[in-house]
Amino acid sequence: ALTGGEYFTVVGPSGFWRLHIIHSVVVADDGSYQIGFDPPLREDYAAGQSVNFQALGCTMKLSLDSIDDVWPTMEAPFRTSPSVRFVETDI
């Protein structure tokens, strides 16, 4: 049974994996669930779209402002500590 706090992944028409977290759950008398989740959907999904609670994922890309940090200028003594930042893919 869903209680809130569960993560799930849904794959949209674009083929991108989207990660969401359930923040509220209401169980109807007929046993169906009404859930609230974040972040909001970023694509239109078909009715009956399946979601995955076991194989979680999110399609990401390298942040444009992070590219210089990935390949920093190397200077003697040839040590560096790059940082990498990812953002969710655009539709």
Side-chain angles (χ1 to χ4, degrees):
L2 298 174
T3 60
E6 296 88 356
Y7 287 90
F8 67 92
T9 295
V10 61
V11 180
S14 64
F16 296 142
W17 290 45
R18 305 293 188 184
L19 184 64
H20 300 275
I21 184 169
I22 296 173
H23 61 72
S24 63
V25 178
V26 176
V27 182
D29 292 336
D30 65 358
S32 63
Y33 289 82
Q34 181 177 357
I35 63 169
F37 56 89
D38 285 315
L41 295 176
R42 280 138 351 255
E43 305 183 60
D44 291 331
Y45 296 90
Q49 173 74 37
S50 64
V51 298
N52 193 328
F53 287 93
Q54 294 181 346
L56 302 175
C58 185
T59 306
M60 306 292 280
K61 67 179 180 181
L62 187 62
S63 171
L64 291 178
D65 62 345
S66 182
I67 290 178
D68 291 336
D69 293 335
V70 175
W71 305 112
T73 303
M74 297 291 288
E75 298 177 7
F78 304 107
R79 285 186 273 170
T80 186
S81 297
S83 64
V84 180
R85 188 174 21 246
F86 292 94
V87 294
E88 191 175 16
T89 54
D90 301 316
I91 292 179

